[in-house]
């Protein structure tokens, strides 16, 4: 063996972990392999193979997970499509039902003459029930209206307003409306009316559907409700009716609302009072689902034990920015210390008119509302009369729209909100629709009241200090400008004379000369 081969063999043996040994002749022998290191190498190789197999298994399972996720997404998409198909099927079923009723009406009406076949009701029938001549006259007029409405609907012409009103006494001064009582003998007339509604179709939405001053049993509501499918209205009104079952009346209103999602006006006024919070919430929830609603009029909707404050809060919370008019007169509203209403008004929402007459608002409520009005410039009408507001609350509201402490406080007052039912005079009450006119009239009124005491200059010195003299030309100009809101022009001259007489006019002229020379 050559020297180089011997060295190479030696190095290889050392790399294999063997310890070099010396032979008998003193030469270098081959190192003996380390059994522990060999075992470790075998284990390491086995672990590497195991890890490779585990990685392959993980890759396979990840691929399976991706496949399952794709299947899951596909199933979700199919479920969504199925939900859409289910909604469409429900719509088509309702549409088919509507068309079926239309066909039935057409088949039944094929032999009609003059579009109306309900038999007249003899006056003797009503007399036999002990009803007076005035009621019999109103009933005859009501049945004539039903016939006229039915024939108009069957004519195929566009019907802008579809309504029935049972009160025909325009000269009734006792504040009580007449109401048409139900009798089974007029059910054929209701059927004619419902069939006519069923057959009416037009590309344009009708403006109004209204029922007022009528006793409405379940039999009548069940006739009318299916006839509204596929019809479109902008306004829906149920006023001063007597529902035999208030829940049936609420269900009727909810179905109508659901079939007319683009309603802009909803009125439920002075019908049977709702005495269940659950029923009241059902109706309000349906109303809150109308995205285009501008007017909500629910006067006399609730009474004890229902607290109308929850209704008010719900209406303000859900789509409150869409509502321009909210009328909740006579709804047993008690805030019980709640601040939802003033907090809402303080955000300056688009709400323009708010009616809360005949409730249970107190001085604390009035004070909080007054603070909110200082931040509100959109509310134009607020009615809070006939509540539990005393002089303290009235003073707070008055100060919100006319703070007469100074000219600046007057200018910073609310000049847009007209507060009804509290007896505020023309000057204070923001009677003009133009806020600038209201502001000008208040400022002129303050200057006039100070002029009567001869204290204008004193107040101006206190309010503006050293700048008062510099502002004299502006003040005189304002007096002249605001004088157009006074019925007595001499008052304007009196104010100007007071200012010129009381102030240091030579100093004012000297100040003017100094400014010119500089």
């Amino acid at each position: 063996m050559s020297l180089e081969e011997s060295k190479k063999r030696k190095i290889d043996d050392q790399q294999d972990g063997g310890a070099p040994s010396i032979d008998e002749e003193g030469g270098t022998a081959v190192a003996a392999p380390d059994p522990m290191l060999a075992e470790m190498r075998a284990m390491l190789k086995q672990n590497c193979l195991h890890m490779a197999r585990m990685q392959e298994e993980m890759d396979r399972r990840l691929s399976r997970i991706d496949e399952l996720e794709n299947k899951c997404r596909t199933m979700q998409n199919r479920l969504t499509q199925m939900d859409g198909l289910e909604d469409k099927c429900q719509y088509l079923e309702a549409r088919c039902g509507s068309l079926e009723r239309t066909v039935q009406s057409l088949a039944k009406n094929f032999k009609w003459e003059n579009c109306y076949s309900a038999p007249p009701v003899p006056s003797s029938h009503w007399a036999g029930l002990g009803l007076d001549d005035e009621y019999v006259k109103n009933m005859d007029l009501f049945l004539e209206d039903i016939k006229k409405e039915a024939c108009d609907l069957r004519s195929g012409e566009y019907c802008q307003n579809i309504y029935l009103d049972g009160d025909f006494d325009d000269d009734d001064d006792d504040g009580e409306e007449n109401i048409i009582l139900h009798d089974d003998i007029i059910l054929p007339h209701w059927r004619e009316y419902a069939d006519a509604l069923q057959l009416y179709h037009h590309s344009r939405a009708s403006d109004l559907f209204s029922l007022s001053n009528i006793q409405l049993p379940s039999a009548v509501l069940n006739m009318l409700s299916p006839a509204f499918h596929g019809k479109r209205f902008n306004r829906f009104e149920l006023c001063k009716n007597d529902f035999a079952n208030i829940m049936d009346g609420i269900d009727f209103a909810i179905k109508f609302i659901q079939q007319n999602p683009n309603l802009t006006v909803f009125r439920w006024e002075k019908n049977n009072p709702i005495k269940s919070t659950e029923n009241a919430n059902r109706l309000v929830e349906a109303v809150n689902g109308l995205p285009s609603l501008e007017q909500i009029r629910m006067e006399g909707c609730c009474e004890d034990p229902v607290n109308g404050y929850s209704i008010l809060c719900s209406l303000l919370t859900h789509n409150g920015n869409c509502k321009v008019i909210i009328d909740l007169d006579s709804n047993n509203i008690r805030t019980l210390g709640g601040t939802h209403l003033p907090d809402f008004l303080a955000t300056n929402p688009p709400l323009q008119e708010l009616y809360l007459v005949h409730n249970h608002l107190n001085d604390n409520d009035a004070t909080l509302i007054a603070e909110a009005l200082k931040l509100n410039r959109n509310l134009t009408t607020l009615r809070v009369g006939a509540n539990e507001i005393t002089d303290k609350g009235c003073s707070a509201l008055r100060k919100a729209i006319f703070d007469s402490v100074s000219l600046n406080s007057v200018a910073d007052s609310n000049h847009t909100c007209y507060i009804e039912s509290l007896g505020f005079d023309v000057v204070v009450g923001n009677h003009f629709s133009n806020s600038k006119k209201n502001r000008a009239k208040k400022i002129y009124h303050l200057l006039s009241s100070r002029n009567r005491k001869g204290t204008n200059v004193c107040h101006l010195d206190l309010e503006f200090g050293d700048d008062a003299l510099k502002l004299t030309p502006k003040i005189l100009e304002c007096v002249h400008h605001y004088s157009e809101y006074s019925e007595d022009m001499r008052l304007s001259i009196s104010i100007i004379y007071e200012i010129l007489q009381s102030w240091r006019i030579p100093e004012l002229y000297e100040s003017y000369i100094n400014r010119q020379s500089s």
Side-chain angles (χ1 to χ4, degrees):
M1 180 182 297
S2 65
L3 181 60
E4 291 182 0
E5 291 177 349
S6 177
K7 289 181 178 181
K8 183 175 183 298
R9 175 70 178 274
K10 180 180 180 181
I11 292 172
D12 291 340
D13 290 342
Q14 289 178 351
Q15 288 177 351
D16 289 338
S21 57
I22 306 300
D23 59 10
E24 295 178 354
E25 297 179 357
T28 302
V30 177
D34 189 342
M36 182 177 294
L37 184 58
E39 182 180 358
M40 289 179 63
R41 285 182 174 176
M43 291 177 61
L44 181 61
K45 184 176 181 180
Q46 185 178 2
N47 287 338
C48 288
L49 293 174
H50 183 65
M51 289 180 63
R53 287 193 296 270
M54 289 183 63
Q55 184 64 45
E56 291 177 359
E57 181 66 18
M58 287 177 62
D59 292 342
R60 186 181 67 80
R61 295 193 177 188
L62 287 174
S63 177
R64 178 60 176 167
I65 290 173
D66 291 339
E67 181 181 350
L68 292 175
E69 286 180 346
N70 291 331
K71 287 184 177 180
C72 184
R73 282 192 291 269
T74 302
M75 293 295 294
Q76 288 177 344
N77 292 334
R78 289 181 179 178
L79 287 174
T80 303
Q81 293 175 359
M82 289 178 65
D83 290 339
L85 290 174
E86 184 177 356
D87 293 339
K88 190 173 182 178
C89 285
Q90 291 177 353
Y91 170 80
L92 291 175
E93 286 179 359
R95 181 62 177 158
C96 287
S98 176
L99 292 174
E100 182 179 357
R101 289 187 294 273
T102 300
V103 171
Q104 291 173 351
S105 296
L106 288 171
K108 184 175 62 175
N109 298 335
F110 181 75
K111 298 180 181 180
W112 279 8
E113 296 180 0
N114 299 324
C115 303
Y116 201 85
S117 63
V121 180
S123 299
S124 58
H125 174 80
W126 309 115
L129 297 175
L131 299 171
D132 59 24
D133 293 340
E134 186 67 23
Y135 179 83
V136 174
K137 177 184 175 182
N138 289 340
M139 176 59 79
D140 290 340
L141 293 173
F142 178 70
L143 295 179
E144 288 179 8
D145 276 359
I146 287 185
K147 179 177 180 179
K148 180 181 181 302
E149 287 284 314
C151 292
D152 288 345
L153 290 168
R154 291 181 179 280
S155 68
E157 299 294 329
Y158 171 68
C159 295
Q160 181 176 5
N161 298 320
I162 303 173
Y163 66 93
L164 290 173
D165 190 345
D167 186 10
F168 298 93
D169 191 353
D170 296 332
D171 299 325
D172 191 6
D173 297 329
D174 59 7
E176 296 183 1
E177 290 79 11
N178 298 310
I179 189 168
I180 294 296
L181 301 177
H182 176 71
D183 191 297
D184 286 347
I185 199 171
I186 65 174
L187 281 176
H189 295 267
W190 280 117
R191 171 52 62 192
E192 301 292 339
Y193 185 69
D195 288 342
L197 277 172
Q198 179 70 51
L199 293 171
Y200 175 72
H201 288 281
H202 201 280
S203 58
R204 291 173 58 190
S206 296
D207 185 53
L208 169 68
F209 179 79
S210 173
L211 295 174
S212 301
N213 297 292
I214 307 170
Q215 192 174 59
L216 296 168
S218 301
V220 173
L221 297 177
N222 292 336
M223 286 183 191
L224 296 178
S225 187
F228 292 114
H229 183 80
K231 311 299 188 298
R232 294 178 298 133
F233 295 89
N234 298 323
R235 297 185 293 151
F236 178 41
E237 300 179 356
L238 294 172
C239 303
K240 304 172 186 176
N241 296 301
D242 179 16
F243 296 105
N245 185 330
I246 187 61
M247 291 186 63
D248 290 338
I250 293 173
D251 289 339
F252 176 77
I254 291 175
K255 289 178 182 177
F256 189 99
I257 289 171
Q258 291 173 343
Q259 293 171 2
N260 288 272
N262 294 321
L263 284 175
T264 58
V265 177
F266 173 74
R267 291 183 64 189
W268 175 289
E269 295 186 356
K270 298 182 180 180
N271 300 301
N272 312 49
I274 300 175
K275 300 181 181 181
S276 163
T277 301
E278 180 182 358
N279 287 334
N281 289 338
R282 286 175 57 231
L283 180 59
V284 173
E285 182 179 353
V287 172
N288 285 333
L290 296 170
S292 303
L293 200 60
E294 297 177 358
Q295 295 186 32
I296 303 172
R297 299 185 181 272
M298 300 179 69
E299 179 183 354
C301 176
C302 302
E303 65 178 29
D304 275 332
V306 179
N307 184 353
Y309 183 62
S310 61
I311 294 177
L312 174 61
C313 293
S314 180
L315 292 175
L316 297 180
T317 300
H318 295 83
N319 301 318
N321 290 333
C322 298
K323 299 171 176 65
V324 178
I325 299 175
I326 295 179
D327 182 354
L328 287 178
D329 288 349
S330 304
N331 268 282
N332 193 42
I333 294 176
R334 302 175 187 271
T335 64
L336 304 177
T339 62
H340 195 95
L341 173 59
D343 291 344
F344 175 78
L345 294 177
T347 63
N348 197 29
L351 182 65
Q352 295 180 6
E353 300 178 23
L354 179 60
Y355 302 101
L356 298 173
V357 175
H358 287 290
N359 285 293
H360 301 282
L361 302 179
N362 55 32
D363 288 337
N364 182 58
D365 299 320
T367 301
L368 293 174
I369 292 173
E371 290 297 320
L373 289 179
K374 296 178 182 180
L375 303 174
N376 190 296
R377 294 297 179 267
N378 287 323
L379 191 67
T380 60
T381 303
L382 175 65
R383 291 181 55 186
V384 289
N387 278 278
E388 299 168 5
I389 300 175
T390 66
D391 291 341
K392 179 182 178 181
C394 289
S395 297
L397 290 170
R398 180 185 177 93
K399 187 175 182 180
I401 60 177
F402 182 51
D403 187 352
S404 60
V405 172
S406 66
L407 288 174
N408 282 331
S409 65
V410 171
D412 292 337
S413 300
N414 182 295
H415 306 298
T416 58
C417 184
Y418 170 52
I419 303 179
E420 295 183 6
S421 310
L422 292 183
F424 293 160
D425 55 45
V426 176
V427 174
V428 175
N430 292 329
H431 284 257
F432 291 114
S433 58
N434 187 316
S435 61
K436 292 183 178 180
K437 288 185 177 181
N438 290 324
R439 177 177 178 271
K441 193 170 185 67
K442 294 175 190 176
I443 292 176
Y444 191 79
H445 177 76
L446 181 61
L447 292 172
S448 301
S449 61
R450 290 176 176 178
N451 173 252
R452 297 187 187 95
K453 302 176 183 179
T455 59
N456 265 316
V457 173
C458 177
H459 279 97
L460 291 171
D461 280 335
L462 290 174
E463 292 172 25
F464 300 107
D466 296 337
D467 293 330
L469 194 62
K470 300 177 184 178
L471 293 173
T472 301
K474 292 288 186 182
I475 294 172
L476 295 176
E477 180 183 356
C478 289
V479 171
H480 174 71
H481 176 69
Y482 294 152
S483 64
E484 65 178 282
Y485 302 106
S486 172
E487 297 179 357
D488 189 356
M489 293 299 297
R490 293 175 298 179
L491 188 57
S492 172
I493 299 174
S494 177
I495 298 173
I496 294 174
Y497 177 76
E498 176 200 356
I499 294 175
L500 294 176
Q501 181 190 42
S502 304
W503 242 333
R504 302 175 295 276
I505 297 301
E507 296 179 16
L508 176 64
Y509 178 74
E510 181 180 351
S511 175
Y512 173 76
I513 295 298
N514 292 337
R515 288 198 303 271
Q516 293 293 322
S517 61
S518 62

